[in-house]
């Protein structure tokens, strides 16, 4: 009988700061990766161990072929090297019997605050998307006419490609695509005082089903970048949304091959036809992820597509819901159901990820504001019901591994 492991990324820092500069969700402990075994009932968790790194664990990815778990550390390198571990990508060996983790190595991320990690084991390649930061530095410049002025420089956002070694450990950086440009600045969102699109912010790395293309959402420029998978990152296509959309997370429909993307600032979900030969995207539909009577700030984050097709789950940060969105045969979208989560103080501290179990019977939700993993049963009509809650500090990301 297969053993199902659940790895939980723990991140002690949220998105909103109090007057003393400490994020509202921060606790002195709770970083690293927690290791659980899923019970035979499919909806219970047995805690096994935790590893301390990454300190601010974010996205996780399990490579079954090499039995390796990868994780990003959502922080900015402080310039002190190994005196204080900075922004990095980690590799852990997964024990095939117990599911426990053994550290392999870590390498610096290309750009601060890496937001996602994806691996193609057959091609021995790993990709990351680095969000960059919001803080700027002021540089004094002298203009051609002799006058003086200021320019503002921001952290780079980037898509990076790494080689993988035979044992699953991470090798050298083989290419980096630095994202440029920015969106509406300032914009109506209160995020970073209206300057959340003052630079590029790469947010996800998604491989198409044929493993020929890498799709990267950039919420800072309202774009989806499509790169060809190869020795280097070559741009195949760029989709430009209208301003103030904020392309955040992307997923493929396993049945139709269509692409869906959450739009952080406009609180929308978009559907696309995807040309698997050229990588081109053609928009089909775009709808709101929140209820018509909802007022206030909302920022959708992750989406998950049911493996049988027809249903998409999106988590709203602000409305604090997981919504079920139905897809018709033509790719058009309809918001059907909403399951309420615990209220957050701010979208930046809200639940931002969720994961379907391999058999799609349950949806595991790292409910960060409530310091718990919430386990929801999935019904045939796409609705969700609460079946279990497991207390844990600062959960932000869940990844499953079948052993």
């Amino acid at each position: 009988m297969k053993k199902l492991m659940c790895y939980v990324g723990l991140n002690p820092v949220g998105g909103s700061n109090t007057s003393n500069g400490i994020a509202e969700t921060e606790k002195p402990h709770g970083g690293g990766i927690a290791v659980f075994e899923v019970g035979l009932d499919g909806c219970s968790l047995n805690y096994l161990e935790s590893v301390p790194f990454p300190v601010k664990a974010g996205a996780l990815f399990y490579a079954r072929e090499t039995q390796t778990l990868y994780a990003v550390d959502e922080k900015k390198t402080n310039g002190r090297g190994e005196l204080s571990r900075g922004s990095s990508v980690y590799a852990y060996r997964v024990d095939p019997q117990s599911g426990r983790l053994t550290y392999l190595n870590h390498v610096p991320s290309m750009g601060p605050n890496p937001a996602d990690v994806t691996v193609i084991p057959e091609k021995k390649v790993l990709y990351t998307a680095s969000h960059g930061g919001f803080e700027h530095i002021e540089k004094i410049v002298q203009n051609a006419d002799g006058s003086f002025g200021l320019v503002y420089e921001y952290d780079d956002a980037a898509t990076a490609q790494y080689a993988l070694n035979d044992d699953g450990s991470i090798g050298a950086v083989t290419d980096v695509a630095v994202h440029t440009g920015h969106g509406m600045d300032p914009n109506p969102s209160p995020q970073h005082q209206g300057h959340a699109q003052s630079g590029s912010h790469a947010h996800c790395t998604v491989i198409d089903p044929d493993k020929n293309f890498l799709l990267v959402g950039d919420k800072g420029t309202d774009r989806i970048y499509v790169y060809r998978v190869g020795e280097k990152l070559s741009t195949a296509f760029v989709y430009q949304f209208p301003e103030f959309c904020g392309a955040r997370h992307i997923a493929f429909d396993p049945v139709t091959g269509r692409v869906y993307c959450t739009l952080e600032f406009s609180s929308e979900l978009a559907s696309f036809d995807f040309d698997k030969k050229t990588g081109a995207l053609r928009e089909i539909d775009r709808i709101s992820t929140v209820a018509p009577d909802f007022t206030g700030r909302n920022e959708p984050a992750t989406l998950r597509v049911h493996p049988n097709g027809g249903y998409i789950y999106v988590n709203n940060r602000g409305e604090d819901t997981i919504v079920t969105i139905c897809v018709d045969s033509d790719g058009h979208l309809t918001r059907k159901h909403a399951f309420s989560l615990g209220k957050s103080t701010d979208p930046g501290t809200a639940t931002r990820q969720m994961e379907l179990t391999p058999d799609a019977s349950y949806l595991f939700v790292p409910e960060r504001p409530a310091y718990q993993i919430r386990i929801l049963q999935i019904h045939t009509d796409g609705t969700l019901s609460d079946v279990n809650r497991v207390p844990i500090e600062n959960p932000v990301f869940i990844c499953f591994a079948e052993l």
Side-chain angles (χ1 to χ4, degrees):
M1 182 178 293
K2 289 182 179 179
K3 179 181 292 188
L4 182 61
M5 305 303 300
C6 177
Y7 299 99
V8 184
L10 310 174
N11 191 326
V13 176
S16 287
N17 290 341
T18 60
S19 59
N20 64 359
I22 302 299
E24 293 177 11
T25 59
E26 184 166 0
K27 288 191 174 183
H29 304 289
I33 302 171
V35 180
F36 293 88
E37 182 178 348
V38 180
L40 295 178
D41 58 4
C43 60
S44 60
L45 290 173
N46 176 37
Y47 173 78
L48 297 182
E49 66 172 357
S50 294
V51 295
F53 297 105
V55 173
K56 298 178 182 178
L60 308 174
F61 186 97
Y62 174 66
R64 176 178 51 82
E65 292 81 354
T66 58
Q67 296 177 324
T68 309
L69 183 73
Y70 299 94
V72 299
D73 204 352
E74 294 182 345
K75 57 196 293 191
K76 180 179 171 69
T77 301
N78 61 11
R80 300 184 68 196
E82 287 303 302
L83 291 174
S84 177
R85 295 190 187 191
S87 172
S88 303
V89 189
Y90 286 75
Y92 282 91
R93 165 75 62 241
V94 175
D95 185 276
Q97 302 301 319
S98 68
R100 294 175 183 268
L101 300 177
T102 300
Y103 170 79
L104 287 175
N105 74 330
H106 72 281
V107 298
S109 69
M110 293 293 102
N113 303 309
D116 205 6
V117 58
T118 301
V119 168
I120 308 180
E122 307 94 315
K123 299 187 178 184
K124 294 184 179 180
V125 63
L126 177 147
Y127 297 101
T128 61
S130 288
H131 178 280
F134 293 126
E135 296 77 15
H136 66 266
I137 60 171
E138 296 184 22
K139 302 289 288 185
I140 302 169
V141 296
Q142 187 169 18
N143 301 314
D145 62 1
S147 62
F148 290 90
L150 295 172
V151 296
Y152 302 94
E153 296 184 0
Y154 296 82
D155 293 324
D156 283 335
T159 302
Q161 178 174 298
Y162 297 78
L164 290 177
N165 301 317
D166 290 341
D167 65 352
S169 61
I170 308 169
V173 177
T174 57
D175 202 14
V176 177
V178 177
H179 293 216
T180 59
H182 64 83
M184 183 191 295
D185 182 43
N187 63 43
S189 170
Q191 186 180 132
H192 200 63
Q193 295 79 51
H195 296 285
Q197 289 191 300
S198 55
S200 297
H201 298 301
H203 221 295
C204 70
T205 51
V206 178
I207 304 296
D208 78 302
D210 293 332
K211 300 178 182 178
N212 292 323
F213 296 97
L214 169 72
L215 280 66
V216 179
D218 188 325
K219 76 174 195 180
T221 59
D222 304 308
R223 294 172 187 158
I224 297 176
Y225 290 91
V226 183
Y227 298 104
R228 291 189 182 276
V229 170
E231 293 185 3
K232 299 291 182 180
L233 290 164
S234 62
T235 304
F237 186 80
V238 178
Y239 185 84
Q240 181 69 60
F241 285 99
E243 64 180 4
F244 197 56
C245 281
R248 182 181 171 100
H249 273 268
I250 297 166
F252 277 86
D253 190 313
V255 177
T256 65
R258 291 193 182 101
V259 169
Y260 308 106
C261 180
T262 55
L263 304 177
E264 180 171 318
F265 297 118
S266 60
S267 285
E268 293 178 301
L269 178 72
S271 62
F272 297 87
D273 280 328
F274 177 73
D275 189 323
K276 63 181 182 180
K277 293 183 179 179
T278 67
L281 295 165
R282 183 186 68 83
E283 187 173 319
I284 302 169
D285 197 11
R286 189 150 36 103
I287 66 163
S288 174
T289 62
V290 295
D293 59 351
F294 175 78
T295 58
R297 178 182 170 192
N298 182 72
E299 296 173 356
T302 308
L303 69 160
R304 290 291 179 256
V305 184
H306 194 282
N308 295 336
Y311 294 119
I312 303 167
Y313 297 101
V314 175
N315 74 295
N316 281 312
R317 303 176 301 164
E319 188 185 56
D320 294 316
T321 57
I322 296 175
V323 294
T324 305
I325 295 177
C326 298
V327 189
D328 68 17
S329 59
D330 295 324
H332 290 89
L333 308 168
T334 305
R335 186 184 191 269
K336 283 288 187 180
H337 313 289
F339 182 92
S340 295
L341 299 173
K343 294 303 294 180
S344 61
T345 57
D346 177 275
T349 62
T351 300
R352 61 179 168 100
Q353 195 260 352
M354 56 194 171
E355 192 60 73
L356 293 162
T357 55
D359 64 1
S361 294
Y362 298 97
L363 184 68
F364 281 47
V365 183
E367 196 175 13
R368 179 163 56 162
Y371 298 106
Q372 66 184 8
I373 298 168
R374 198 159 182 173
I375 302 173
L376 309 178
Q377 186 173 4
I378 299 172
H379 301 283
T380 54
D381 62 353
T383 56
L384 304 168
S385 62
D386 213 341
V387 293
N388 197 13
R389 303 183 187 195
V390 179
I392 188 170
E393 286 186 357
N394 306 314
V396 296
F397 202 98
I398 282 177
C399 178
F400 291 111
E402 286 186 297
L403 305 182

